[in-house]
């Protein structure tokens, strides 16, 4: 029970932080970072829905979130390399 609560709270933090990053005009991101944050946000939403028992998307949500963080990391590395 505690594990699901902590995981759900962590997913909510990821969802909120990613959504703010994607829609913020003050966050200077590139397309890869924005795409990665969008994927991570969607993956976290799907994982949270899976934890609630409404959908069986466990593996797909994890893959989507992992790929999103990978895109974000590549975009961040690209931004630092260009500067």
């Amino acid at each position: 029970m505690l594990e699901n609560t902590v995981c759900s709270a962590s997913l909510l933090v990821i969802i909120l932080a990613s959504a703010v990053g994607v829609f913020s005009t003050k966050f200077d991101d590139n397309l890869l970072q924005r795409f990665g944050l969008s994927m991570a946000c969607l993956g976290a939403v799907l994982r949270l829905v899976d934890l609630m028992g409404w959908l069986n998307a466990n593996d797909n949500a994890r893959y989507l979130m992992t790929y999103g963080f990978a895109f974000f990391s590549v975009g961040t590395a690209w931004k630092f390399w260009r500067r």
Side-chain angles (χ1 to χ4, degrees):
M1 184 67 169
L2 181 63
E3 178 183 343
N4 283 345
T5 304
V6 171
C7 188
S8 297
S10 300
L11 287 169
L12 283 173
V13 168
I14 291 171
I15 291 166
L16 292 174
S18 299
V20 167
V22 167
F23 294 114
S24 174
T25 58
K26 296 182 182 197
F27 180 56
D28 183 30
D29 58 348
N30 57 30
L31 186 60
L32 281 173
Q33 287 177 311
R34 189 169 297 236
F35 186 64
L37 280 179
S38 300
M39 288 175 64
C41 185
L42 182 59
V45 167
L46 289 175
R47 181 69 180 118
L48 186 62
V49 168
D50 181 52
L51 279 178
M52 298 297 174
W54 300 333
L55 179 68
N56 187 12
N58 191 9
D59 289 337
N60 295 333
R62 288 182 185 173
Y63 290 142
L64 186 60
M65 203 163 51
T66 302
Y67 298 155
F69 287 132
F71 271 98
F72 182 78
S73 299
V74 169
T76 303
W78 175 261
K79 182 171 30 174
F80 284 126
W81 180 72
R82 291 200 51 180
R83 290 184 185 187

